[in-house]
Amino acid sequence: MAPLRDLMSIMTEFPEYSLVCVSPGNRITGFISAYNTGEGAERHCAINEIHYLRAEMFLMLMKAIEERAEEHKMEYTRHREYFDVIGGELVNKSSESPSIT
């Protein structure tokens, strides 16, 4: 239950960075939660968790978070890290690409 409690805590503290996709049948088909971290020039937006069913949903959720970060003058960097269910290991394919200068 701790991971769910942590996720809900972040979603209530940073609602502007917490988005949920719902299908016409009221089923959750994806969500993203992010939070602000750091102080001053080190302040940035970090994605805590993202789940989605289709690739276009991932792009939509990421675009929404990037737009919110830009509105709040936040810098962000993209890192690609995920858990490979079949291989049973954490895969890290980091390719940093700063978006706001």
Side-chain angles (χ1 to χ4, degrees), residues 1 13 15 27 36 41 48 50-52 62 66 74 81:
M1 274 312 252
E13 189 174 347
R27 295 188 67 186
N36 296 337
N48 180 54
I50 182 169
H51 293 275
Y52 55 92
M62 285 301 299
E66 288 172 355
M74 302 288 289
E81 185 175 271

Side-chain angles (χ1 to χ4, degrees), residues 1-9 49:
M1 274 312 252
L4 181 58
R5 183 176 45 239
D6 294 342
L7 177 63
M8 297 305 284
S9 170
E49 196 159 342

Side-chain angles (χ1 to χ4, degrees), residues 36-85:
N36 296 337
T37 185
E39 296 290 328
E42 298 295 318
R43 190 167 182 230
H44 64 279
C45 177
I47 293 176
N48 180 54
E49 196 159 342
I50 182 169
H51 293 275
Y52 55 92
L53 295 179
R54 297 185 311 274
E56 65 270 10
M57 189 178 300
F58 167 78
L59 296 173
M60 180 184 69
L61 290 167
M62 285 301 299
K63 182 178 179 188
I65 291 295
E66 288 172 355
E67 288 172 354
R68 283 170 173 76
E70 288 173 358
E71 286 174 11
H72 294 111
K73 302 291 185 273
M74 302 288 289
E75 294 193 15
Y76 56 92
T77 305
R78 292 183 189 184
H79 297 277
R80 186 174 177 196
E81 185 175 271
Y82 59 92
F83 187 77
D84 181 358
V85 178

Side-chain angles (χ1 to χ4, degrees), residues 14-50:
F14 301 100
E16 67 275 15
Y17 296 117
S18 301
L19 307 169
V20 177
C21 295
V22 181
S23 71
N26 270 348
R27 295 188 67 186
I28 294 176
T29 55
F31 70 87
I32 190 169
S33 71
Y35 58 94
N36 296 337
T37 185
E39 296 290 328
E42 298 295 318
R43 190 167 182 230
H44 64 279
C45 177
I47 293 176
N48 180 54
E49 196 159 342
I50 182 169

